[in-house]
Amino acid sequence: MPGFEYLLDALTPLNILLALGGVIAGTVIGSLPGLTATMAVAVLVPVTFSMAPASALILMGAIYTGAIYGGAYAAILLNTPGTPSAIATTFDGFPMAKRGDGDLAVTLACLASVSGGLVGAAFLLVLAPPLATVALAFGPVEYFWLAVFGLTLISALSEGNLLKGLIGACFGLLLSGVGVAEISADVRFTFGSQVLLGGIETVSALIGLYCIPVLIDLVATPDRHLKVTHAPRGFRLAEALAISWRHKWNLLRSSVIGTLVGILPGAGGSIAGLVAYSEARRVSPRREHFGQGEPEGVQATESANNATVGGGFIPTLVLGIPGTPPDAVILGALLIQGVRTGPNLFTEEGSIVYTFIYGLFLATILMLPAGLVIGRYAYKTIVTVPKAMLVPTVAFMTLIGTYSIRNSVSDVIIMITLGVVGWILNRVGFSPSPIVLGLILGRIAEQGFVQAWTIGAATENLTGMFFGRPISLGIIAFIALSLFYPLVRARWVGRRRKIDAD
Amino acid sequence: MRTEAVPGAGGRDLGGMVACAVFILLAVLALWDTTSMTDSDSYVFPRTVALAMIVFCLAYMGWQLLWPKPPEAGTAPPGSTPRRVGLVLAMLGAAALMPWLGFVICGVVAFGSIMALAMYEAWTPRRLLVYALVGVAVVVGFYFLFAKLLLVPLPLGTLFE
């Protein structure tokens, strides 16, 4: 275990203040739809230039971890992922809030985020150099299979109508192809429109598909946004702790998944959350309740996406390859500070790196009280504010949040259009989640597939390229498990019941 | 997320079938667009997806024709359609006019319009004043957060330049 002196360095009053301030600022920014963790870190980078490198890293790490957690608020209370990492949080978080358990969902999300953040930081502290090699072992074909693994969630999200789920996913995959093709630079599906050249921005699409339908239905009736059936119950911390302890293996498994996915450059918190959610659902005895407000779903996603913070720092610091987009911003800030990342960083600049890692632990722990208080306030605001105030405020936030991503009015119009399309499709039985899955995973799947295909064709070994690499085979095995395990298990349970009856 | 499908006549999922027909048209349009692409890297993936979408849609429509099955949840959408349409128009209008009128004016007008649409209680002078002040505060507050702190170049409006 690296030096105790670095822990003391991290615990200076200035660093504690920076960690707390960073977590609070990140949580608030992350909770606003459209403002991502990348933006939160990027905006506050200039503030760090006058600081010591370790303190700067602590502040940026705290903002990053707070922003990832903050995304859960909008996901749970408004059905809008505040950040892309919180997509899967909407699956169970919003149903929980709708039935009157929004306060519990927010507290569960906070506990899960802290658990995930701590596991990610622990991996960063203890196993960073060996784990960094995982990032290098992942080639295009592994990314392709990882995206396919994410797409297997469609069966879980289709609610009894797999064909509609598959059609929705195809629609999302086609939407992901709009604009300039990444590899060949051909212009696709723009039909001469300049507006579509930049493609469909993922966060805008998320806001449109998830939030606009909610607003459209909110404005149409005088009913309350969320069901409030009970008197105020505080944080519901004891209840949330009991649930967390009951599902500790889910938390641990999801955190490890989040860390490992975070290590993969470009994968990010959204994929980590989706993969962890898929695994949690597969393993859980209550899998049929997933999507209807199952606390395990919220725990899986939130622990995984916060674990990507520590995981993403592993290739960033050891290899100089940013694991996630906010890591790229932090890497740039480090270079400006004169810190050269690389395999020798942990030995040559140990005081900076280990002070930062302990600072990340500190920020994650401080997220517990800060997150609980902010979450409680967010929940109370959403349930008590009059509808005539809530609807325009949220609508306004979607407008400004979407605009700010690329400073584009076109993105705002696309967002609203997708929202209307999503609402209509919802009316005829098409859930937005498979569309979103296709949209997010489409780009990763296509890029991985085309690159792997090109390499395989050039080496005249297409089969070996797609089915002959150990990591690929491992992911394919998980895909098969994810698809067929429910069938096998149902048959096995049926046989057991028959034997018991006999 | 639970969907709210609308049943059609004869127990068939008419809405779903119409949506499938639209998806087939979209897929055909996508296939037609790929014919202009020269590099196979560009068209292999979208063509595969478009063809898969057509197959899934036809399978769903065929399934519904042969074994009609109404969707699970089937009620007409409750609530006021004019308010729904009003919300969408207010948001689209604000977005479309933003480059000319600027962010603040469009924001305040959109906020006020949507507030009126979402109001189900009687307007009293006090309520009108408080809500209007809160609306302006929200718009101006977000303007300062985004334009001044986060340095997002929000449109000022070409009419006022």
Side-chain angles (χ1 to χ4, degrees):
Chain A
M1 182 72 77
F4 184 69
E5 67 273 20
Y6 302 130
L7 173 62
L8 294 178
D9 287 345
L11 290 175
T12 63
L14 174 68
N15 286 341
I16 293 173
L17 206 64
L18 287 173
L20 184 63
V23 162
I24 292 171
T27 305
V28 171
I29 292 177
S31 67
L32 300 174
L35 289 188
T36 59
T38 312
M39 197 179 220
V41 176
V43 162
L44 295 165
V45 156
V47 179
T48 64
F49 290 157
S50 56
M51 294 178 186
S55 298
L57 267 172
I58 288 173
L59 177 61
M60 289 187 285
I63 293 166
Y64 180 13
T65 203
I68 295 285
Y69 163 61
Y73 295 155
I76 292 168
L77 301 173
L78 299 171
N79 197 36
T80 306
T83 59
S85 306
I87 295 162
T89 311
T90 60
F91 300 164
D92 286 288
F94 189 59
M96 281 184 79
K98 288 283 278 184
R99 71 167 183 237
D101 283 329
D103 45 1
L104 178 64
V106 167
T107 302
L108 276 172
C110 185
L111 292 174
S113 297
V114 171
S115 312
L118 290 176
V119 170
F123 271 88
L124 176 63
L125 180 70
V126 181
L127 290 169
L131 276 179
T133 54
V134 174
L136 298 177
F138 255 70
V141 74
E142 281 79 16
Y143 279 98
F144 168 69
W145 286 120
L146 194 64
V148 173
F149 184 38
L151 285 170
T152 60
L153 246 188
I154 290 165
S155 62
L157 300 173
S158 302
E159 292 166 13
N161 200 329
L162 185 60
L163 273 176
K164 279 187 174 175
L166 290 168
I167 294 165
C170 287
F171 181 50
L173 287 167
L174 283 181
L175 286 179
S176 76
V178 173
V180 180
E182 281 194 39
I183 294 173
S184 56
D186 260 320
V187 176
R188 301 189 299 195
F189 309 142
T190 61
F191 305 103
S193 165
Q194 299 279 327
V195 168
L196 293 173
L197 264 182
I200 292 177
E201 209 288 320
T202 309
V203 180
S204 314
L206 286 181
I207 294 173
L209 286 167
Y210 280 115
C211 190
I212 298 298
V214 173
L215 287 177
I216 290 175
D217 282 333
L218 260 182
V219 81
T221 64
D223 303 340
R224 292 185 77 101
H225 169 48
L226 301 177
K227 189 178 172 191
V228 184
T229 52
H230 311 277
R233 295 168 291 192
F235 294 117
R236 298 179 72 178
L237 187 57
E239 201 178 336
L241 280 170
I243 292 171
S244 299
W245 179 250
R246 205 180 313 141
H247 302 299
K248 52 189 175 295
W249 298 118
N250 177 28
L251 281 176
L252 185 64
R253 181 183 53 247
S254 305
S255 303
V256 172
I257 289 173
T259 308
L260 294 177
V261 174
I263 294 169
L264 309 176
S270 51
I271 299 212
L274 290 168
V275 171
Y277 184 87
S278 177
E279 275 306 289
R281 185 181 177 278
R282 185 178 65 79
V283 173
S284 173
R286 290 173 54 80
R287 68 180 66 80
E288 67 274 16
H289 297 282
F290 274 63
Q292 298 165 21
E294 175 58 44
E296 280 184 81
V298 175
Q299 289 177 317
T301 316
E302 282 305 305
S303 52
N305 64 25
N306 264 87
T308 59
V309 176
F313 274 118
I314 292 173
T316 309
L317 297 177
V318 180
L319 303 171
I321 303 169
T324 59
D327 288 326
V329 180
I330 293 171
L331 185 63
L334 279 178
L335 293 174
I336 291 171
Q337 293 255 12
V339 177
R340 292 186 64 183
T341 54
N344 298 328
L345 182 72
F346 281 70
T347 48
E348 290 174 4
E349 307 260 23
S351 66
I352 295 173
V353 176
Y354 289 116
T355 306
F356 158 62
I357 296 173
Y358 285 120
L360 196 59
F361 274 108
L362 175 69
T364 308
I365 291 165
L366 288 172
M367 194 162 72
L368 185 61
L372 285 175
V373 171
I374 299 171
R376 176 82 189 133
Y377 181 74
Y379 174 71
K380 279 181 78 171
T381 306
I382 296 291
V383 295
T384 55
V385 78
K387 182 175 261 190
M389 204 64 83
L390 179 70
V391 176
T393 305
V394 176
F396 181 72
M397 279 162 62
T398 64
L399 290 176
I400 192 169
T402 304
Y403 176 86
S404 66
I405 298 166
R406 295 198 296 199
N407 305 330
S408 164
V409 172
S410 309
D411 280 350
V412 181
I413 292 171
I414 291 171
M415 179 273 290
I416 300 167
T417 309
L418 276 177
V420 176
V421 170
W423 183 83
I424 294 168
L425 287 176
N426 202 21
R427 300 299 319 156
V428 291
F430 289 87
S431 166
S433 299
I435 303 174
V436 167
L437 271 186
L439 186 63
I440 291 176
L441 299 175
R443 290 179 187 129
I444 299 168
E446 181 179 7
Q447 196 174 345
F449 178 80
V450 172
Q451 283 180 345
W453 183 274
T454 308
I455 297 168
T459 54
E460 296 180 351
N461 185 18
L462 272 175
T463 314
M465 173 54 68
F466 280 94
F467 301 101
R469 293 162 62 102
I471 298 176
S472 293
L473 289 174
I475 303 172
I476 292 168
F478 272 106
I479 293 169
L481 260 179
S482 181
L483 286 175
F484 301 117
Y485 178 74
L487 292 174
V488 174
R489 192 177 180 280
R491 182 166 286 190
W492 183 72
V493 168
R495 194 173 289 174
R496 279 287 300 270
R497 279 192 188 139
K498 200 174 176 186
I499 292 168
D500 290 347
D502 292 341
Chain B
M1 187 179 176
R2 189 155 290 283
T3 54
E4 303 169 43
V6 185
R12 287 196 176 96
D13 178 14
L14 202 60
M17 289 172 75
V18 171
C20 282
V22 175
F23 279 130
I24 289 174
L25 280 177
L26 279 177
V28 170
L29 199 64
L31 284 174
W32 170 76
D33 192 63
T34 60
T35 56
S36 64
M37 297 170 194
T38 49
D39 196 329
S40 62
D41 288 353
S42 301
Y43 61 70
V44 167
F45 195 80
R47 268 186 200 174
T48 311
V49 173
L51 287 172
M53 189 150 97
I54 291 171
V55 170
F56 295 142
C57 287
L58 288 175
Y60 187 78
M61 292 165 89
W63 192 271
Q64 282 292 323
L65 286 171
L66 293 173
W67 297 281
K69 188 186 169 195
E72 280 178 17
T75 51
S80 157
T81 303
R83 286 185 197 248
R84 287 192 171 99
V85 175
L87 172 89
V88 173
L89 290 179
M91 291 182 76
L92 277 175
L97 294 174
M98 210 178 274
W100 289 279
L101 296 178
F103 174 80
V104 176
I105 291 178
C106 284
V108 168
V109 173
F111 198 101
S113 315
I114 297 170
M115 186 190 282
L117 289 166
M119 189 63 172
Y120 283 89
E121 295 161 53
W123 283 106
T124 60
R126 185 172 176 275
R127 193 172 275 158
L128 189 64
L129 182 70
V130 172
Y131 279 35
L133 285 176
V134 172
V136 172
V138 168
V139 174
V140 174
F142 270 104
Y143 174 79
F144 274 99
L145 173 68
F146 278 77
K148 304 298 175 190
L149 289 176
L150 303 177
L151 305 176
V152 176
L154 294 173
L156 296 171
T158 49
L159 288 180
F160 305 105
E161 283 177 358

